Amino acid sequence: MVILPLMATVPPLRDPLSTPFTPGYGALPRVFAGREPEFRDLEVMAARTRAGIYEQARRVQGIRGIGKTVLLGEYEQWASDSGLWVTSLTVAPGAGFVGRLVGELGRTIAAHSPTDRTVRRVLAVLRFLTAVGLRYGGEAWHLEYRGRPVTPDAARTTGDTQEDLRRLLVDAALLARDRGTGLVLLLDEAQNADTAELAPLLYALQDAQKHVLTERDTASGRTLRSSPPLAVVLAGLPNLPDAIARAAATFMSRSRPIELGPLPESAVRKALPEFTRPHGVDWDGFALDRIVELIDGYPYFFTSTASTPGPPATGR
Ligand SMILES: Nc1ncnc2c1ncn2[C@@H]1O[C@H](COP(=O)(O)OP(=O)(O)O)[C@@H](O)[C@H]1O
Ligand SMILES: [Mg+2]
């Protein structure tokens, strides 16, 4: 057979140290395959919200292993690199998540260490945020800003979760706007969210996005309207729409689905050699045809992670 001599020249792919394949969920793959139209839509959404233009929240939907978490991860990386403020959270089944979300939001704001000019405003928002967080996290709730614990300001809270969350989201987005950027909120595994918690959050999100800011343009004297720079992405299994509809029916009509299906064949064909090549493995036409056919667009089947040890630097 012709295959035997060929195999002798190919390093063993399944060596535990050098194999690029690490099936699993959520790890950022070394090569991100396909998803260009979906990614472009998310980029445009962030750019538009950053410019003060209202954009519907996005719902990334698809079966397990289809690449939702990976898409969110790539997007988070892109958004951070673009100077956007990103708050992201994965919802675990059964556990409360709004307290954690508020905490993450606080850390996002604190981490972007605003200039001295804005410190008072940042502190005011963080005190409010901490007071809201305490309602969810009890004694455990703790946030630091510039190395000092933030004292909660209960006076600003209304006692109404939805309204408090709405104010927080608008405040946070406006702080980002002061810094010339916007806020991106990512919620993965959102189908796990408890309806009682998801409902006030979704209403708060849509109300915060609808919030109208007015400014007078000094040159023309006209009143200019804009939206807070707040981009929202929820991701979840195909039952996500049901979970959303149960919690906040209007959020369904005000959010736009991104259905993730199998990767196009061309994307698999392009990505596969890209991530095995650094390991000294290439694919000939027949092998590539066969593996592309076997993978059938399911990204889980050609998983490689950034944490996999790379190829030896020399000696190959
Ligand atoms: N676009 C992609 N390019 C390369 N690998 C991907 C891609 N999408 C997913 N994968 C791989 O498939 C695995 C499962 O993807 P994941 O995002 O965790 O699925 P989901 O969140 O939809 O359950 C990931 O660990 C990743 O390595
Ligand atoms: Mg996932």
mmCIF file of all heavy atoms in Angstrom, residues 24-27 29 31-35 62-71 188 263 299-300 302-304, ligand 1:
data_model
loop_
_atom_site.group_PDB
_atom_site.id
_atom_site.type_symbol
_atom_site.label_atom_id
_atom_site.label_comp_id
_atom_site.label_asym_id
_atom_site.label_seq_id
_atom_site.Cartn_x
_atom_site.Cartn_y
_atom_site.Cartn_z
ATOM 1 N N GLY A 24 -13.793 19.247 24.015
ATOM 2 C CA GLY A 24 -14.283 19.858 25.249
ATOM 3 C C GLY A 24 -15.179 21.008 24.876
ATOM 4 O O GLY A 24 -15.518 21.184 23.715
ATOM 5 N N TYR A 25 -15.565 21.764 25.875
ATOM 6 C CA TYR A 25 -16.473 22.878 25.599
ATOM 7 C C TYR A 25 -15.843 24.192 26.014
ATOM 8 O O TYR A 25 -15.206 24.282 27.061
ATOM 9 C CB TYR A 25 -17.786 22.699 26.352
ATOM 10 C CG TYR A 25 -18.594 21.534 25.838
ATOM 11 C CD1 TYR A 25 -18.637 20.347 26.534
ATOM 12 C CD2 TYR A 25 -19.277 21.631 24.632
ATOM 13 C CE1 TYR A 25 -19.365 19.258 26.056
ATOM 14 C CE2 TYR A 25 -20.002 20.567 24.151
ATOM 15 C CZ TYR A 25 -20.044 19.381 24.863
ATOM 16 O OH TYR A 25 -20.758 18.326 24.376
ATOM 17 N N GLY A 26 -16.038 25.191 25.194
ATOM 18 C CA GLY A 26 -15.787 26.560 25.626
ATOM 19 C C GLY A 26 -14.362 27.053 25.520
ATOM 20 O O GLY A 26 -14.137 28.246 25.551
ATOM 21 N N ALA A 27 -13.380 26.142 25.432
ATOM 22 C CA ALA A 27 -12.001 26.617 25.359
ATOM 23 C C ALA A 27 -11.794 27.336 24.030
ATOM 24 O O ALA A 27 -12.299 26.900 22.995
ATOM 25 C CB ALA A 27 -11.040 25.456 25.482
ATOM 26 N N PRO A 29 -10.426 28.035 20.707
ATOM 27 C CA PRO A 29 -9.623 27.220 19.805
ATOM 28 C C PRO A 29 -8.445 28.017 19.261
ATOM 29 O O PRO A 29 -8.508 29.237 19.176
ATOM 30 C CB PRO A 29 -10.601 26.873 18.682
ATOM 31 C CG PRO A 29 -11.604 27.963 18.697
ATOM 32 C CD PRO A 29 -11.681 28.477 20.105
ATOM 33 N N VAL A 31 -7.360 28.004 16.309
ATOM 34 C CA VAL A 31 -7.818 28.614 15.056
ATOM 35 C C VAL A 31 -9.338 28.731 15.133
ATOM 36 O O VAL A 31 -10.024 27.745 15.364
ATOM 37 C CB VAL A 31 -7.420 27.743 13.841
ATOM 38 C CG1 VAL A 31 -8.003 28.309 12.564
ATOM 39 C CG2 VAL A 31 -5.915 27.619 13.745
ATOM 40 N N PHE A 32 -9.819 29.921 14.967
ATOM 41 C CA PHE A 32 -11.260 30.163 15.007
ATOM 42 C C PHE A 32 -11.796 30.007 13.591
ATOM 43 O O PHE A 32 -11.414 30.743 12.685
ATOM 44 C CB PHE A 32 -11.497 31.579 15.541
ATOM 45 C CG PHE A 32 -12.946 31.981 15.605
ATOM 46 C CD1 PHE A 32 -13.866 31.240 16.327
ATOM 47 C CD2 PHE A 32 -13.371 33.140 14.965
ATOM 48 C CE1 PHE A 32 -15.202 31.623 16.392
ATOM 49 C CE2 PHE A 32 -14.702 33.532 15.027
ATOM 50 C CZ PHE A 32 -15.620 32.770 15.744
ATOM 51 N N ALA A 33 -12.667 29.020 13.405
ATOM 52 C CA ALA A 33 -13.115 28.695 12.050
ATOM 53 C C ALA A 33 -14.449 29.350 11.737
ATOM 54 O O ALA A 33 -15.359 29.342 12.568
ATOM 55 C CB ALA A 33 -13.239 27.183 11.904
ATOM 56 N N GLY A 34 -14.546 29.880 10.546
ATOM 57 C CA GLY A 34 -15.835 30.345 10.027
ATOM 58 C C GLY A 34 -16.483 31.438 10.850
ATOM 59 O O GLY A 34 -15.803 32.254 11.464
ATOM 60 N N ARG A 35 -17.806 31.424 10.869
ATOM 61 C CA ARG A 35 -18.620 32.365 11.662
ATOM 62 C C ARG A 35 -18.411 33.821 11.262
ATOM 63 O O ARG A 35 -18.679 34.716 12.080
ATOM 64 C CB ARG A 35 -18.355 32.224 13.174
ATOM 65 C CG ARG A 35 -18.535 30.830 13.743
ATOM 66 C CD ARG A 35 -19.915 30.304 13.556
ATOM 67 N NE ARG A 35 -20.119 29.001 14.205
ATOM 68 C CZ ARG A 35 -20.938 28.072 13.749
ATOM 69 N NH1 ARG A 35 -21.618 28.271 12.619
ATOM 70 N NH2 ARG A 35 -21.096 26.947 14.390
ATOM 71 N N GLY A 62 -28.176 27.616 19.620
ATOM 72 C CA GLY A 62 -27.754 26.412 18.906
ATOM 73 C C GLY A 62 -27.468 25.275 19.868
ATOM 74 O O GLY A 62 -27.347 25.494 21.081
ATOM 75 N N ILE A 63 -27.324 24.069 19.296
ATOM 76 C CA ILE A 63 -27.134 22.881 20.140
ATOM 77 C C ILE A 63 -25.770 22.920 20.822
ATOM 78 O O ILE A 63 -24.900 23.701 20.432
ATOM 79 C CB ILE A 63 -27.254 21.571 19.312
ATOM 80 C CG1 ILE A 63 -26.205 21.563 18.173
ATOM 81 C CG2 ILE A 63 -28.656 21.423 18.745
ATOM 82 C CD1 ILE A 63 -26.075 20.216 17.495
ATOM 83 N N ARG A 64 -25.610 22.072 21.831
ATOM 84 C CA ARG A 64 -24.351 22.015 22.569
ATOM 85 C C ARG A 64 -23.209 21.607 21.639
ATOM 86 O O ARG A 64 -23.386 20.747 20.777
ATOM 87 C CB ARG A 64 -24.478 21.025 23.733
ATOM 88 C CG ARG A 64 -23.431 21.235 24.798
ATOM 89 C CD ARG A 64 -23.721 20.513 26.092
ATOM 90 N NE ARG A 64 -24.829 21.031 26.886
ATOM 91 C CZ ARG A 64 -24.852 22.218 27.501
ATOM 92 N NH1 ARG A 64 -23.825 23.041 27.404
ATOM 93 N NH2 ARG A 64 -25.895 22.587 28.212
ATOM 94 N N GLY A 65 -22.087 22.291 21.774
ATOM 95 C CA GLY A 65 -20.911 21.947 20.981
ATOM 96 C C GLY A 65 -20.866 22.632 19.626
ATOM 97 O O GLY A 65 -19.943 22.418 18.848
ATOM 98 N N ILE A 66 -21.850 23.459 19.309
ATOM 99 C CA ILE A 66 -21.913 24.077 17.985
ATOM 100 C C ILE A 66 -21.037 25.335 17.923
ATOM 101 O O ILE A 66 -20.771 25.866 16.837
ATOM 102 C CB ILE A 66 -23.391 24.370 17.595
ATOM 103 C CG1 ILE A 66 -23.565 24.419 16.075
ATOM 104 C CG2 ILE A 66 -23.900 25.669 18.220
ATOM 105 C CD1 ILE A 66 -23.456 23.102 15.386
ATOM 106 N N GLY A 67 -20.601 25.841 19.084
ATOM 107 C CA GLY A 67 -19.655 26.957 19.070
ATOM 108 C C GLY A 67 -20.167 28.278 19.618
ATOM 109 O O GLY A 67 -19.592 29.329 19.315
ATOM 110 N N LYS A 68 -21.177 28.250 20.456
ATOM 111 C CA LYS A 68 -21.707 29.500 21.020
ATOM 112 C C LYS A 68 -20.690 30.157 21.956
ATOM 113 O O LYS A 68 -20.402 31.350 21.844
ATOM 114 C CB LYS A 68 -23.013 29.227 21.805
ATOM 115 C CG LYS A 68 -24.100 28.570 20.975
ATOM 116 C CD LYS A 68 -25.335 28.265 21.804
ATOM 117 C CE LYS A 68 -25.131 27.219 22.874
ATOM 118 N NZ LYS A 68 -24.835 25.862 22.378
ATOM 119 N N THR A 69 -20.155 29.346 22.885
ATOM 120 C CA THR A 69 -19.225 29.894 23.870
ATOM 121 C C THR A 69 -17.947 30.378 23.194
ATOM 122 O O THR A 69 -17.385 31.407 23.563
ATOM 123 C CB THR A 69 -18.912 28.821 24.939
ATOM 124 O OG1 THR A 69 -20.151 28.445 25.542
ATOM 125 C CG2 THR A 69 -17.977 29.353 26.008
ATOM 126 N N VAL A 70 -17.524 29.638 22.184
ATOM 127 C CA VAL A 70 -16.323 30.033 21.447
ATOM 128 C C VAL A 70 -16.556 31.362 20.709
ATOM 129 O O VAL A 70 -15.705 32.251 20.736
ATOM 130 C CB VAL A 70 -15.904 28.903 20.472
ATOM 131 C CG1 VAL A 70 -14.967 29.403 19.404
ATOM 132 C CG2 VAL A 70 -15.260 27.767 21.256
ATOM 133 N N LEU A 71 -17.721 31.491 20.101
ATOM 134 C CA LEU A 71 -18.045 32.741 19.413
ATOM 135 C C LEU A 71 -18.047 33.904 20.414
ATOM 136 O O LEU A 71 -17.472 34.969 20.159
ATOM 137 C CB LEU A 71 -19.412 32.619 18.719
ATOM 138 C CG LEU A 71 -19.929 33.867 17.997
ATOM 139 C CD1 LEU A 71 -19.035 34.215 16.803
ATOM 140 C CD2 LEU A 71 -21.370 33.669 17.506
ATOM 141 N N ASP A 188 -23.819 33.940 28.875
ATOM 142 C CA ASP A 188 -23.781 32.615 28.249
ATOM 143 C C ASP A 188 -24.650 31.648 29.056
ATOM 144 O O ASP A 188 -24.877 31.856 30.244
ATOM 145 C CB ASP A 188 -22.326 32.120 28.193
ATOM 146 C CG ASP A 188 -22.132 30.996 27.179
ATOM 147 O OD1 ASP A 188 -23.105 30.630 26.488
ATOM 148 O OD2 ASP A 188 -20.993 30.482 27.072
ATOM 149 N N LEU A 263 -20.742 24.421 10.787
ATOM 150 C CA LEU A 263 -19.841 25.294 10.030
ATOM 151 C C LEU A 263 -19.916 24.922 8.561
ATOM 152 O O LEU A 263 -20.044 23.744 8.223
ATOM 153 C CB LEU A 263 -18.399 25.089 10.501
ATOM 154 C CG LEU A 263 -18.030 25.647 11.866
ATOM 155 C CD1 LEU A 263 -16.682 25.093 12.310
ATOM 156 C CD2 LEU A 263 -17.988 27.165 11.829
ATOM 157 N N PRO A 299 -18.287 21.711 15.044
ATOM 158 C CA PRO A 299 -16.979 22.220 15.468
ATOM 159 C C PRO A 299 -16.343 21.419 16.595
ATOM 160 O O PRO A 299 -15.138 21.323 16.689
ATOM 161 C CB PRO A 299 -17.260 23.648 15.946
ATOM 162 C CG PRO A 299 -18.682 23.917 15.708
ATOM 163 C CD PRO A 299 -19.348 22.681 15.215
ATOM 164 N N TYR A 300 -17.156 20.829 17.431
ATOM 165 C CA TYR A 300 -16.655 20.043 18.551
ATOM 166 C C TYR A 300 -15.691 18.957 18.071
ATOM 167 O O TYR A 300 -14.771 18.575 18.773
ATOM 168 C CB TYR A 300 -17.846 19.420 19.273
ATOM 169 C CG TYR A 300 -17.493 18.589 20.468
ATOM 170 C CD1 TYR A 300 -17.311 19.166 21.714
ATOM 171 C CD2 TYR A 300 -17.339 17.200 20.345
ATOM 172 C CE1 TYR A 300 -16.987 18.390 22.816
ATOM 173 C CE2 TYR A 300 -17.017 16.419 21.441
ATOM 174 C CZ TYR A 300 -16.840 17.015 22.675
ATOM 175 O OH TYR A 300 -16.520 16.257 23.745
ATOM 176 N N PHE A 302 -13.434 19.018 15.787
ATOM 177 C CA PHE A 302 -12.042 19.326 15.419
ATOM 178 C C PHE A 302 -11.458 20.369 16.353
ATOM 179 O O PHE A 302 -10.845 21.344 15.990
ATOM 180 C CB PHE A 302 -11.914 19.711 13.938
ATOM 181 C CG PHE A 302 -12.425 21.060 13.580
ATOM 182 C CD1 PHE A 302 -11.534 22.088 13.256
ATOM 183 C CD2 PHE A 302 -13.780 21.320 13.552
ATOM 184 C CE1 PHE A 302 -12.018 23.330 12.913
ATOM 185 C CE2 PHE A 302 -14.252 22.558 13.207
ATOM 186 C CZ PHE A 302 -13.382 23.569 12.887
ATOM 187 N N THR A 303 -11.625 20.010 17.618
ATOM 188 C CA THR A 303 -11.290 20.948 18.657
ATOM 189 C C THR A 303 -9.802 21.004 18.941
ATOM 190 O O THR A 303 -9.143 20.003 19.076
ATOM 191 C CB THR A 303 -12.022 20.511 19.931
ATOM 192 O OG1 THR A 303 -13.404 20.574 19.681
ATOM 193 C CG2 THR A 303 -11.667 21.380 21.087
ATOM 194 N N SER A 304 -9.328 22.218 19.070
ATOM 195 C CA SER A 304 -7.957 22.415 19.504
ATOM 196 C C SER A 304 -7.975 23.577 20.468
ATOM 197 O O SER A 304 -8.727 24.520 20.301
ATOM 198 C CB SER A 304 -7.108 22.751 18.293
ATOM 199 O OG SER A 304 -6.051 23.575 18.653
HETATM 200 N N1 LIG B 1 -15.649 28.516 15.256
HETATM 201 C C1 LIG B 1 -14.911 27.540 15.803
HETATM 202 N N2 LIG B 1 -13.658 27.281 15.353
HETATM 203 C C2 LIG B 1 -12.910 26.306 15.904
HETATM 204 N N3 LIG B 1 -13.326 25.506 16.886
HETATM 205 C C3 LIG B 1 -14.560 25.706 17.377
HETATM 206 C C4 LIG B 1 -15.411 26.731 16.864
HETATM 207 N N4 LIG B 1 -16.576 26.683 17.509
HETATM 208 C C5 LIG B 1 -16.446 25.698 18.417
HETATM 209 N N5 LIG B 1 -15.249 25.107 18.341
HETATM 210 C C6 LIG B 1 -14.772 23.981 19.159
HETATM 211 O O1 LIG B 1 -15.880 23.197 19.594
HETATM 212 C C7 LIG B 1 -15.902 23.108 21.020
HETATM 213 C C8 LIG B 1 -17.308 23.333 21.518
HETATM 214 O O2 LIG B 1 -17.686 24.698 21.277
HETATM 215 P P1 LIG B 1 -18.496 25.549 22.342
HETATM 216 O O3 LIG B 1 -18.389 26.973 21.974
HETATM 217 O O4 LIG B 1 -18.066 25.209 23.730
HETATM 218 O O5 LIG B 1 -19.967 25.004 22.115
HETATM 219 P P2 LIG B 1 -21.308 25.487 22.776
HETATM 220 O O6 LIG B 1 -21.018 26.654 23.672
HETATM 221 O O7 LIG B 1 -22.202 25.853 21.634
HETATM 222 O O8 LIG B 1 -21.809 24.289 23.526
HETATM 223 C C9 LIG B 1 -14.950 24.181 21.550
HETATM 224 O O9 LIG B 1 -14.193 23.718 22.643
HETATM 225 C C10 LIG B 1 -14.076 24.560 20.389
HETATM 226 O O10 LIG B 1 -12.792 24.087 20.507
#
